[in-house]
Amino acid sequence: MSPFQVFLVAGTHGNEINGPWLLENWDKDQDEYINSYGINFFKEIGNPIALAAGKRYIDNDLNRSFSPSLLSDTHSELKEVKRAQELVKLYGPKGSNPCQVAIDLHTTTSSMGSCLVLYGRRPADLALASLVQAKLGLPIYLHEGDDSQKGFLVESWPCGFVIEVGPVPQSLLNAKIIEQTRIAIEACFESIMKILSGSRIYPKRLIVHRHIKSIDYPRDLHGRVEACLDKSIQGNDWYPIAPGSPLFVKKDGQLIYFDEKESLIPVF
């Protein structure tokens, strides 16, 4: 039986550089930089080619390249598909260095702070996320309700989720973002240690923000954006928008109101 191991990946999107910086500096002082609580782990830069180019991806979004159909496509010439296949062969449950948990480090231009992103409702994901939320109070964003998006990295492991931290512009290092990411990683390792040792105490409830729908900007007949977010909600991620609240404002000052029947929690 293989030992319990964690796969920690950053730079899945090449223009998100804070996670890779964190992992690369961890190499310099691994024992002191982040407390892994004695858990075996492997860490990788997900898309090093895109990271070097300063781009989100080269041929295909790596975090959409882990669908079963793409992973089994032995003839694909897409760089990210080949990289996805390589990572699964190295660190997947049946790989040469099998890992049971995958933690994918991301940043965002959104002012959503630190949060966990889950894809679907796997019990193992929810259980681990509940311990991290209980320790740090992080919001949990359940990404579902959008069938057009699939093939996420962590879905190829028995348990896993994304740590997402913002706001930070793309390709810009930010010490606060790096520190927030480090704290979240340590909380994950601590929670895994408690599960393995049998000392975990799950919270009585788990608060999850479920993805309901995406609302596009108003556009003209040519598809060009013709309004921006109203100042009352700009930067106010995780705060509810009530029906009838201003949502967009046009160049002439005309307001477009939120016309849903129920309040939603925005993540921009």
Side-chain angles (χ1 to χ4, degrees):
M1 184 176 180
S2 60
F4 188 92
Q5 299 180 137
V6 174
F7 176 45
L8 192 61
V9 58
T12 302
H13 292 147
N15 57 357
E16 299 174 14
I17 66 174
N18 288 270
W21 191 93
L22 180 64
L23 295 192
E24 289 166 356
N25 278 273
W26 193 353
D27 282 335
K28 298 176 182 177
D29 198 356
Q30 182 167 319
D31 295 332
E32 296 183 8
Y33 197 57
I34 299 178
N35 187 354
S36 62
Y37 291 87
I39 297 170
N40 293 329
F41 67 94
F42 296 91
K43 49 186 170 58
E44 282 275 354
I45 303 302
N47 197 339
I49 299 176
L51 180 65
K55 298 180 178 180
R56 181 181 175 94
Y57 58 86
I58 303 299
D59 295 328
N60 193 61
D61 191 329
L62 180 60
N63 204 29
R64 306 295 187 275
S65 299
F66 286 81
S67 64
S69 60
L70 290 177
L71 289 176
S72 61
D73 184 359
T74 57
H75 300 292
S76 177
E77 294 299 323
L78 300 177
K79 292 180 174 59
E80 280 79 11
V81 171
K82 289 184 176 181
R83 180 58 170 162
Q85 295 170 349
E86 179 182 20
L87 291 174
V88 171
K89 288 180 181 178
L90 286 172
Y91 306 110
K94 297 181 180 180
S96 54
N97 301 294
C99 294
Q100 292 74 42
V101 176
I103 300 174
D104 190 8
L105 307 180
H106 285 259
T107 55
T108 174
T109 57
S110 158
S111 57
M112 61 199 301
S114 300
C115 77
L116 307 178
V117 182
L118 276 62
Y119 302 103
R121 305 188 184 195
R122 299 189 301 185
D125 298 351
L126 293 167
L128 179 56
S130 73
L131 295 176
V132 178
Q133 184 179 82
K135 180 175 178 61
L136 298 180
L138 300 186
I140 293 174
Y141 176 60
L142 181 58
H143 194 289
E144 62 179 14
D146 188 349
D147 294 334
S148 66
Q149 297 195 46
K150 56 186 179 180
F152 299 104
L153 183 150
V154 298
E155 293 180 307
S156 291
W157 278 260
C159 176
F161 48 68
V162 163
I163 295 174
E164 185 132 37
V165 186
V168 62
Q170 295 171 345
S171 301
L172 179 69
L173 284 175
N174 183 298
K176 181 180 178 181
I177 299 296
I178 293 168
E179 178 64 8
Q180 288 177 261
T181 305
R182 185 191 67 79
I183 290 171
I185 293 172
E186 283 196 344
C188 291
F189 276 122
E190 181 182 1
S191 298
I192 293 170
M193 179 272 294
K194 289 182 177 179
I195 293 172
L196 295 176
S197 66
S199 62
R200 80 284 187 190
I201 300 177
Y202 292 109
K204 293 183 179 180
R205 68 172 185 166
L206 175 65
I207 301 174
V208 174
H209 296 82
R210 185 165 62 95
H211 179 92
I212 302 296
K213 63 186 294 185
S214 297
I215 300 175
D216 194 12
Y217 286 94
R219 297 178 182 273
D220 62 19
L221 296 176
H222 303 286
R224 294 173 297 202
V225 172
E226 61 176 358
C228 63
L229 288 173
D230 183 71
K231 62 182 180 182
S232 64
I233 63 171
Q234 181 72 56
N236 289 325
D237 298 58
W238 308 114
Y239 290 91
I241 301 176
S245 298
L247 188 59
F248 299 106
V249 58
K250 293 188 174 182
K251 294 179 181 179
D252 60 4
Q254 177 185 349
L255 292 174
I256 299 174
Y257 295 92
F258 183 57
D259 60 1
E260 301 288 336
K261 294 182 179 180
E262 298 181 1
S263 298
L264 293 181
I265 307 294
V267 179
F268 298 109

